[in-house]
Amino acid sequence: MIAALRARLPEPGPRVLLGVGDDAAITAPEGVTATSVDAIVEGVHFRRESMPLDAIGRRALAAALSDLAAMGAEPGEAYIVLGVPEDLDEAGCLELLEGAEALAARTATALVGGDISRSAVLFVSMTVVGHAPDAESLVTRGGANAGDVVAVTGELGGAAAALRLLEGAASGGVPDDLALALRARQLDPQPRLSEGRALAASGATAMIDVSDGLGADAGHIAAESGVRLEIDLATIPLQPGVREVAMATREDPLELAAGGGEDYELLCCLPEGSVDPARAAVADVGGSLTVIGNCVPGEGGGVKLSAPSGRELRVRGYDQLTRRRQS
């Protein structure tokens, strides 16, 4: 299987001196690197009954690359660890890896190594390495200041709505074209790599990808930066179809979008004077940027999510260890 995969891979970029086929890869990076590890596990993050194998491969790589996007890094190399259960044959493994390979090609990411092991359940672990000229070019979660504005790329709620469609909880009531676009947020997520670099170059002070939910991920920025984020949920950009799914499942669409997660959009903080240049820079790479709130003084961090009615919502993010929604 490794030989079959190796034969399919394109030649890596100039930073990779030795890729798949030896005991270790050899790379020659310039500047600084940003490294992230992400894993998805059957029964926790996906079900094979509702997610094709190639989509599992794409999603595993997308989730990892989204962390690089949140740092403003350029994607470089990826290393895959695949845990193979007894009921998955070689053809199935290759189908999964083909999905990752397709996204790698679209994002100029070189697949240069990894490992394969027998496992009780299917899992995919991705290690990705990104690059930047210097450490100051990268954005962390901890740089937001009181007075900064809070903004988000793209649209929210699509992945959570898609999960309900894939699990059959929202059948009917959603036009076919909207349902197709929603399902793509689960089956073919797109890491916002170009948007991340544009925001970093435009002066973003803090950034995170929206993977655990808007409320939970805003809380990470607040905690690391020592500020309070106040977000007006009436301003968040909902993906078309989210309201229809929420109506079918009798949920609040804003709570669905703020707590659902896995949209892999970028939540960022910017000095007020940087908003218009940042919006223009993101538009130049085909994205969009919406201001949704502000950073205010708050030594203990924290997030305030205000509904259009004026009441404060307490949405819950996903805790990977307990596998429960948490406040």
Side-chain angles (χ1 to χ4, degrees):
M1 183 163 63
I2 294 172
L5 174 63
R6 183 182 182 186
R8 297 175 53 88
L9 293 177
E11 287 296 317
R15 281 189 293 255
V16 180
L17 306 183
L18 181 65
V20 175
D22 218 302
D23 290 323
I26 302 175
T27 63
E30 298 179 356
V32 299
T33 60
T35 304
S36 182
V37 181
D38 208 293
I40 62 172
V41 181
E42 184 175 10
V44 179
H45 304 94
F46 65 87
R47 296 183 179 87
R48 275 188 277 168
E49 294 82 4
S50 58
M51 186 168 290
L53 290 167
D54 62 335
I56 295 170
R58 285 194 303 272
R59 185 178 173 194
L61 181 56
L65 289 175
S66 186
D67 289 333
L68 298 185
M71 304 291 290
E74 176 189 355
E77 298 78 48
Y79 304 83
I80 308 173
V81 177
L82 181 61
V84 183
E86 291 187 357
D87 64 342
L88 186 64
D89 60 13
E90 181 175 324
C93 292
L94 287 173
E95 182 181 345
L96 185 151
L97 294 170
E98 285 168 4
E101 176 190 353
L103 181 58
R106 293 205 304 264
T107 57
T109 302
L111 300 178
V112 295
D115 196 12
I116 298 174
S117 173
R118 182 64 69 190
S119 172
V121 297
L122 175 60
F123 75 85
V124 189
S125 177
M126 290 279 185
T127 299
V128 290
V129 181
H131 301 271
D134 48 57
E136 291 71 28
S137 300
L138 299 174
V139 184
T140 70
R141 302 175 179 182
N145 302 298
D148 286 352
V149 300
V150 181
V152 69
T153 62
E155 298 168 331
L156 298 178
L163 185 61
R164 285 148 178 78
L165 289 173
L166 291 170
E167 293 181 343
S171 57
V174 183
D176 290 345
D177 59 334
L178 296 183
L180 184 64
L182 288 173
R183 290 189 181 95
R185 296 301 293 266
Q186 281 286 339
L187 301 179
D188 192 16
Q190 302 298 311
R192 304 305 186 191
L193 291 157
S194 296
E195 290 90 333
R197 294 196 296 277
L199 289 167
S202 299
T205 55
M207 194 151 53
I208 191 172
D209 69 320
V210 181
S211 55
D212 294 332
L214 177 65
D217 291 318
H220 295 318
I221 288 181
E224 292 298 321
S225 297
V227 296
R228 180 176 174 83
L229 271 63
E230 295 188 345
I231 295 174
D232 180 1
L233 292 179
T235 64
I236 66 173
L238 287 181
Q239 181 167 338
V242 170
R243 293 187 183 279
E244 289 84 348
V245 169
M247 183 177 296
T249 57
R250 298 183 179 181
E251 296 176 87
D252 183 324
L254 294 178
E255 290 191 33
L256 182 65
E262 297 183 328
D263 285 313
Y264 300 117
E265 296 294 349
L266 298 178
L267 179 70
C268 67
C269 300
L270 291 153
E272 189 170 359
S274 299
V275 173
D276 288 340
R279 185 180 285 121
V282 170
D284 283 345
V285 296
S288 61
L289 186 69
T290 304
V291 173
I292 60 172
N294 296 279
C295 297
V296 300
E299 189 172 331
V303 178
K304 180 180 180 181
L305 300 172
S306 298
S309 63
R311 69 185 180 94
E312 183 175 349
L313 292 186
R314 291 190 174 275
V315 299
R316 297 175 293 173
Y318 189 75
D319 186 290
Q320 301 287 1
L321 296 180
T322 64
R323 296 172 63 182
R324 295 197 302 268
R325 309 302 297 187
Q326 298 290 340
S327 300

